[in-house]
Amino acid sequence: MNERTANRVFDAVNMVLLALAVVVCILPFLHIIAVSLSSNLAITSGKVTLLPVGFNWDAYGKVFSDMTMIRSLGFTVFLTALCAALCMAMTIVAAYPLTKSQLKGRKVFMILIVITMFFTGGIIPEYILVRDLNLLNTVWALVLPGLISPFYLIILISFFNGIPQSLEEAAEIDGSSHFGTLMRIILPLSLPVMATLCLFYAVGRWNGFQDSLMYISKPELYPIQLKLYQMIQNNMVSELAILEGHSGAQKITPESLKSASVIFATVPILLVYPWLQRYFVSGVMMGAVKG
């Protein structure tokens, strides 16, 4: 087999594997959408697969009329924006000094950072720390413990190291300080990796619920994932459907309401992807290769 044929076979195998991965990821999502839009009779009889059967919007009407869901969604948007902004700021101010060879103890800092990627203090010590800092039932309990991801920090350091040193030297000759060089030279050249890491931080915060489950007990501070988790776990949806008072085919099934709630919690963060997708490849790959 010559090299050209081998490349074609390799590309074909990759395309098949990627197609299978796409199908595995999309089919469950299509099923949830179909259930959320199907009639109660079709859901209870198990006729719903990938397409809605007996179109029905009642579950979405119930979700959008639930003010606690709207409040949790609004709080999650605020929490995600706050977390992404602070995480990026802390990651940048940590990464830039670590690219300077004159920084004393730079190798020690890097070793300590790498160690935290493999070993953590554990959930119990982290909870005790948050509790002793009086952060329970506050926004900061969901923000401060995850301000810097060691993996994302190393990606950003690698990206900064790939920027030509001559640009910084020219800025220093013109009298620029380290902060001025960072703001006027480094950050404008780092938009792809910054956009990618910002999205990673935002998605991680949007999907996170374990920390809110441990630290938050006030309903007004429930992120949307915790609200959704409790709705499913406590079977609140069935109680709401019963209390609704509808009869026969107009009653909302728990499966339909759960599916509508999942879509309600997922769609907002999915809408962010198209705006930042163009930065993914250049941002991650350039940051992964040391210059």
Side-chain angles (χ1 to χ4, degrees), residues 246-274:
H246 295 299
S247 60
Q250 293 184 345
K251 185 181 292 182
I252 302 174
T253 64
E255 290 77 11
S256 178
L257 197 51
K258 290 175 185 176
S259 300
S261 301
V262 170
I263 300 300
F264 177 80
T266 306
V267 168
I269 195 66
L270 288 180
L271 296 178
V272 179
Y273 276 94

Side-chain angles (χ1 to χ4, degrees), residues 23-185:
V23 170
V24 169
C25 293
I26 288 181
L27 286 184
F29 196 67
L30 292 178
H31 176 70
I32 292 176
I33 294 176
V35 171
S36 68
L37 294 174
S38 297
S39 66
N40 301 325
L41 180 61
I43 295 173
T44 53
S45 59
K47 295 181 179 178
V48 182
T49 53
L50 300 179
L51 295 175
V53 179
F55 208 75
N56 186 2
W57 285 95
D58 290 349
Y60 286 97
K62 183 64 184 176
V63 170
F64 281 98
S65 64
D66 186 351
M67 293 310 298
T68 60
M69 290 289 289
I70 302 297
R71 182 180 60 193
S72 294
L73 179 65
F75 175 69
T76 306
V77 171
F78 164 75
L79 179 64
T80 301
L82 176 66
C83 188
L86 292 180
C87 288
M88 282 308 304
M90 294 301 296
T91 304
I92 290 170
V93 299
Y96 185 64
L98 291 173
T99 62
K100 304 301 176 188
S101 58
Q102 63 268 31
L103 177 66
K104 294 182 179 180
R106 184 168 71 105
K107 292 184 178 180
V108 175
F109 289 135
M110 289 302 301
I111 292 174
L112 294 176
I113 290 171
V114 172
I115 289 176
T116 63
M117 295 177 62
F118 301 98
F119 304 98
T120 63
I123 295 177
I124 301 301
E126 183 176 326
Y127 174 82
I128 294 175
L129 177 62
V130 172
R131 183 199 61 187
D132 291 346
L133 292 174
N134 295 321
L135 296 179
L136 294 179
N137 284 319
T138 66
V139 174
W140 302 113
L142 305 178
V143 175
L144 295 181
L147 268 184
I148 297 180
S149 164
F151 181 65
Y152 299 160
L153 176 62
I154 291 175
I155 289 178
L156 194 58
I157 291 173
S158 299
F159 192 93
F160 285 170
N161 283 328
I163 296 176
Q165 186 66 28
S166 57
L167 293 176
E168 296 185 52
E169 293 174 353
E172 292 177 3
I173 292 174
D174 291 339
S176 176
S177 63
H178 285 299
F179 181 76
T181 302
L182 174 65
M183 297 300 293
R184 288 192 288 268
I185 305 296

Side-chain angles (χ1 to χ4, degrees), residues 156-216:
L156 194 58
I157 291 173
S158 299
F159 192 93
F160 285 170
N161 283 328
I163 296 176
Q165 186 66 28
S166 57
L167 293 176
E168 296 185 52
E169 293 174 353
E172 292 177 3
I173 292 174
D174 291 339
S176 176
S177 63
H178 285 299
F179 181 76
T181 302
L182 174 65
M183 297 300 293
R184 288 192 288 268
I185 305 296
I186 302 300
L187 294 187
L189 295 174
S190 306
L191 288 180
V193 70
M194 288 172 55
T196 304
L197 296 184
C198 185
L199 181 62
F200 287 168
Y201 275 124
V203 172
R205 181 59 271 167
W206 185 278
N207 291 330
F209 89 93
Q210 183 177 352
D211 52 353
S212 54
L213 183 65
M214 293 190 300
Y215 305 141
I216 303 298

